[in-house]
Amino acid sequence: MAPVNVTVTGAAGQIGYALLFRIASGALLGPDTKVNLRLLEIPAAVKAAEGTAMELDDCAFPLLAGIEVTDDAKKAFDGANVALLVGARPRTKGMERGDLLEANGGIFKPQGEAINAGAASDIKVLVVGNPANTNALIAQQHAPDVPAGRFTAMTRLDHNRALSQLATKLGVTVEDIKKLTIWGNHSATQYPDVFHAEVNGKNAAELVNDEAWLADSFIPTVAKRGAAIIEARGASSAASAANAAIDHVHDWVLGTPAGDWTSMAIPSDGSYGVPEGIISSFPVTCADGEYSIVQGLEVNEFSRARIDASVAELVEERDAVKGLGLI
Ligand code: NAI
């Protein structure tokens, strides 16, 4: 089998450093798939990315068929089968939302165009760089020849954080928990939903039996975990974000386990009242390289209000990038 071309942007950043070695070791696509890595950086960081490439060489990973480092998006995405868009413009002090969206538009528009121009026909895109959902929408809108559903954004870190918090609360292991969902935006408005989650076959919300804990502790802890990590570590989550990116693509390509689902931000088809086209997190199962939204879940009042609030934020972000002429 020919190696799979995996493009990673922001390769010299801290997530890149935690991500690339795991991709090359087989964690992304399994132990039988060789990969070609394409590392895209801005010119000022190409040298650092080349340093990382030297270290990748020095690992002598049997599955790593080749590495290319470039600052040219066209080259980086040419023939790409998987693209992990990690590099983004962070919000700096005093930056208005419009400026942030505009700066990211300047990154994700040309990258969408380059994916449109040259990526392989089976391209799968995961956007990690924030604001991830809206950056994914910008890239998607500039890749009209690529099926819209191939553009996804990462809420898997939120999903994994929620699994860990719930496991601690109930004194079980993360493996005991199935069918947890993150809905909406990868932001403070996200909604981690345990009402359909199962713990060794029992309903998680019933086991918790404490709506105040859900509202006042669990949900804010998951949603604000990124800030808590920055506070503790003095730097934003990197290894856990890289791990979540691996999980997202791994499950998309290789499937979700039977009897479980995961969370991915994907273009809405209108399910659960989320306006069509918005890139919002849903419960999904994956098989044969395709994801599908889990249908037919009952959404109670507690969940409805929170899903609606996060989706409203996504609609606002979409309207803002539209207003700025970015889509
Ligand atoms: P970082 O600042 O360490 O690295 C970002 C890298 O992107 C830098 O090396 C920079 O040179 C590069 N870059 C900037 N513009 C680029 C462009 N146009 N093309 C290629 N590379 C470019 O940041 P870190 O910690 O690696 O985080 C990356 C992004 O991931 C941030 O936007 C962060 O907010 C986001 N993130 C998302 C999470 C999620 O759950 N969706 C979780 C954690 C972080």
Side-chain angles (χ1 to χ4, degrees):
M1 205 170 68
V4 173
N5 295 324
V6 180
T7 303
V8 179
T9 76
Q14 51 153 5
I15 294 177
Y17 196 70
L19 181 61
L20 293 167
F21 297 86
R22 295 194 59 203
I23 297 174
S25 74
L28 188 77
L29 300 172
D32 303 320
T33 305
K34 292 200 183 232
V35 294
N36 276 319
L37 279 173
R38 307 274 182 74
L39 313 187
L40 180 67
E41 258 299 347
I42 55 171
V46 161
K47 192 163 177 221
E50 283 170 351
T52 305
M54 287 160 71
E55 281 204 74
L56 283 159
D57 281 339
D58 295 349
C59 293
F61 286 118
L63 293 175
L64 184 56
I67 316 174
E68 266 175 67
V69 182
T70 180
D71 59 6
D72 178 348
K74 286 253 155 36
K75 255 196 201 158
F77 292 112
D78 189 40
N81 305 104
V82 174
L84 295 155
L85 309 189
V86 179
R89 175 68 204 269
R91 191 190 282 260
T92 38
K93 227 181 177 170
M95 200 175 193
E96 298 292 332
R97 186 176 70 165
D99 299 333
L100 178 75
L101 295 173
E102 190 129 39
N104 279 293
I107 295 173
F108 288 88
K109 177 174 181 278
Q111 291 185 359
E113 288 167 350
I115 288 169
N116 197 54
S121 60
D122 65 347
I123 179 73
K124 289 180 165 61
V125 182
L126 168 63
V127 176
V128 174
N130 282 320
N133 302 51
T134 297
N135 287 341
L137 183 69
I138 295 171
Q140 179 211 57
Q141 292 296 305
H142 293 281
D145 304 329
V146 176
R150 303 289 184 75
F151 286 83
T152 68
M154 190 166 94
T155 51
R156 185 60 176 264
L157 180 53
D158 309 303
H159 182 98
N160 289 345
R161 285 168 171 167
L163 278 177
S164 168
Q165 293 297 323
L166 186 61
T168 303
K169 167 75 175 171
L170 294 176
V172 299
T173 70
V174 287
E175 268 186 327
D176 296 325
I177 304 174
K178 309 265 181 281
K179 301 184 178 173
L180 194 135
T181 306
I182 303 292
W183 299 90
N185 199 1
H186 169 67
S187 76
T189 67
Q190 66 174 268
Y191 172 49
D193 176 1
V194 303
F195 285 98
H196 303 283
E198 293 169 3
V199 180
N200 293 321
K202 296 200 183 92
N203 181 272
E206 283 168 22
L207 287 174
V208 168
N209 193 26
D210 185 351
E211 208 168 278
W213 178 79
L214 288 179
D216 304 332
S217 178
F218 173 72
I219 296 171
T221 299
V222 173
K224 293 179 190 161
R225 185 75 167 174
I229 301 280
I230 292 175
E231 176 66 28
R233 205 172 87 86
S236 59
S237 346
S240 54
N243 178 66
I246 297 268
D247 284 351
H248 177 116
V249 174
H250 177 276
D251 287 0
W252 188 0
V253 173
L254 297 168
T256 42
D260 200 1
W261 66 60
T262 189
S263 304
M264 288 168 70
I266 55 173
S268 175
D269 60 359
S271 294
Y272 297 102
V274 180
E276 213 178 318
I278 293 286
I279 300 193
S280 186
S281 190
F282 285 99
V284 298
T285 55
C286 305
D288 305 319
E290 306 280 343
Y291 57 76
S292 26
I293 297 175
V294 176
Q295 295 296 340
L297 300 177
E298 202 192 307
V299 176
N300 63 19
E301 225 174 280
F302 183 95
S303 298
R304 187 75 262 167
R306 287 167 173 81
I307 295 170
D308 288 351
S310 195
V311 168
E313 183 183 53
L314 283 170
V315 169
E316 254 179 54
E317 286 183 17
R318 180 205 54 196
D319 292 347
V321 291
K322 234 187 208 166
L324 291 164
L326 298 173
I327 61 171

